[in-house]
Amino acid sequence: MPRSLVTVVANLMMEATASTAAQVSERVLAQLVEHLKADSGFVRHNDHYRRESVLVAEWPRRQNIPDPDPLAVVHFSSADPVLSLCDHGNTPIVIPPNQLEGAYHHWVATRSHAAAPSVAVAPLVAGGVTNGALGVVRFGGKKWKPDQVETLEAIASLFAQLQARIAAEEKLRYLAEHDDLTGLHNRRALVDHLSDRLKAGRNGPVAVLFMDLDRLKSINDYLGHTAGDCYIQVFAEQLRAQIGSQGMIARIGGDEFVVVPDRAMSIDEAQLLADELRGALRDRVAIGG
């Protein structure tokens, strides 16, 4: 395996961020496909919570992609051996011609001019967990040489490191902008959001609704801080249910919350929304029965 290829790929991935990872992945796939004399390549990521395999990048990009894209998100229960490897595999596999199933079989079937493909796939393993897969496709059923599979496995290891780094960075970014107890945005995120909304040329006026919870200290004193925390969490969920995706919600203190509606609104409209929220949030709350 040429050290130059690994070095180039490693350098590309070091520069990648969460916002550029897909583009960097395409560049890496393009070089890998050329080096292995393959016809196409792809990298996928695992969503273990939903038990789904998600397409991150492919090269070359498919033309006339149907809606919905059958390869974009596929459940692990698919019979496709490519996606089965994404779920739990830890060693590379080669799928011979005419043995593809499921989503990738459908993709091949749409390329009626192409010969049956052979697919080599390597898992993306980090910390003992399979987080995705890197694959390359050759039409015509050519055999894969051991050194080519080793190259694929080495690049897959770099992809696994990239995915782990980006996941860690995104987690840190999330923690820096969200409240630990409720998952709502925190004061820092609120200030950034308002700074953006109040820039010159942005649509206004911008409504900011502030609210706090009465008698939270009494709840903490009589029922304990665990009950108080549960109450705050329930209140946050009620706010989410009322606002949905129509605005930003932040917790800026122990019992202090701020709502910033996305749309511009007058003082009268803001007052009406505040009254609606106050009325909706007066309902009794059950905590542990």
Side-chain angles (χ1 to χ4, degrees):
M1 173 178 56
R3 294 182 62 86
S4 58
L5 176 62
V6 177
T7 301
V8 169
V9 169
N11 288 336
L12 281 173
M13 291 186 176
M14 285 180 61
E15 301 171 359
T17 64
S19 60
T20 64
Q23 292 84 351
V24 170
S25 297
E26 282 190 355
R27 292 172 61 187
V28 171
L29 286 173
Q31 296 196 38
L32 182 63
V33 166
E34 180 180 4
H35 173 74
L36 296 180
K37 297 180 173 57
D39 294 294
S40 65
F42 58 86
V43 60
R44 305 188 68 91
H45 174 68
N46 289 354
D47 184 333
H48 289 290
Y49 178 75
R50 296 179 179 274
R51 292 194 49 73
E52 291 174 339
S53 170
V54 181
L55 182 65
V56 174
E58 59 185 351
W59 187 263
R61 296 179 182 178
R62 287 168 292 148
Q63 302 297 316
N64 303 317
I65 299 176
D67 186 17
D69 180 0
L71 299 184
V73 179
V74 184
H75 197 272
F76 288 150
S77 60
S78 165
D80 194 323
V82 172
L83 304 178
S84 176
L85 178 69
C86 288
D87 187 6
H88 53 71
N90 52 27
T91 58
I93 61 170
V94 173
I95 304 170
N98 301 317
Q99 289 192 17
L100 279 180
E101 303 274 351
Y104 276 94
H105 173 75
H106 175 77
W107 171 62
V108 171
T110 62
R111 298 168 61 103
S112 57
H113 64 282
S118 175
V119 182
V121 189
L124 276 52
V125 180
V129 179
T130 304
N131 291 318
L134 170 67
V136 282
V137 181
R138 272 183 178 170
F139 288 100
K142 298 178 182 178
K143 292 184 178 181
W144 298 97
K145 298 178 181 178
D147 63 315
Q148 293 176 320
V149 177
E150 289 176 4
T151 298
L152 186 68
E153 188 173 16
I155 303 300
S157 177
L158 293 175
F159 266 114
Q161 294 174 33
L162 173 63
Q163 287 193 352
R165 175 169 63 81
I166 288 177
E169 291 173 356
E170 289 181 333
K171 183 177 181 179
L172 287 175
R173 187 179 298 109
Y174 178 88
L175 292 175
E177 297 178 349
H178 291 78
D179 172 56
D180 289 343
L181 180 61
T182 63
L184 298 177
H185 289 93
N186 59 17
R187 183 184 295 271
R188 172 183 173 180
L190 173 65
V191 171
D192 290 344
H193 179 74
L194 286 175
S195 297
D196 181 64
R197 287 289 304 277
L198 295 173
K199 286 179 180 177
R202 293 298 301 271
N203 192 25
V206 177
V208 179
L209 310 180
F210 172 86
M211 61 193 74
D212 65 352
L213 303 177
D214 292 338
R215 297 183 295 280
L216 179 62
K217 183 178 184 304
S218 298
I219 294 176
N220 286 331
D221 289 344
Y222 286 99
L223 300 177
H225 284 272
T226 298
D229 287 348
C230 288
Y231 177 60
I232 290 172
Q233 291 171 324
V234 170
F235 183 80
E237 288 301 320
Q238 290 178 327
L239 271 179
R240 285 194 186 95
Q242 293 298 318
I243 300 300
S245 60
Q246 304 304 310
M248 182 192 198
I249 310 171
R251 180 186 179 217
I252 61 172
D255 63 351
E256 297 174 338
F257 296 81
V258 170
V259 173
V260 184
D262 284 343
R263 65 182 180 89
M265 58 176 56
S266 66
I267 292 178
D268 290 340
E269 290 175 315
Q271 179 68 57
L272 180 61
L273 175 60
D275 290 339
E276 291 176 353
L277 284 177
R278 186 167 56 181
L281 297 171
R282 283 178 182 272
D283 290 342
R284 290 176 179 269
V285 173
I287 298 173

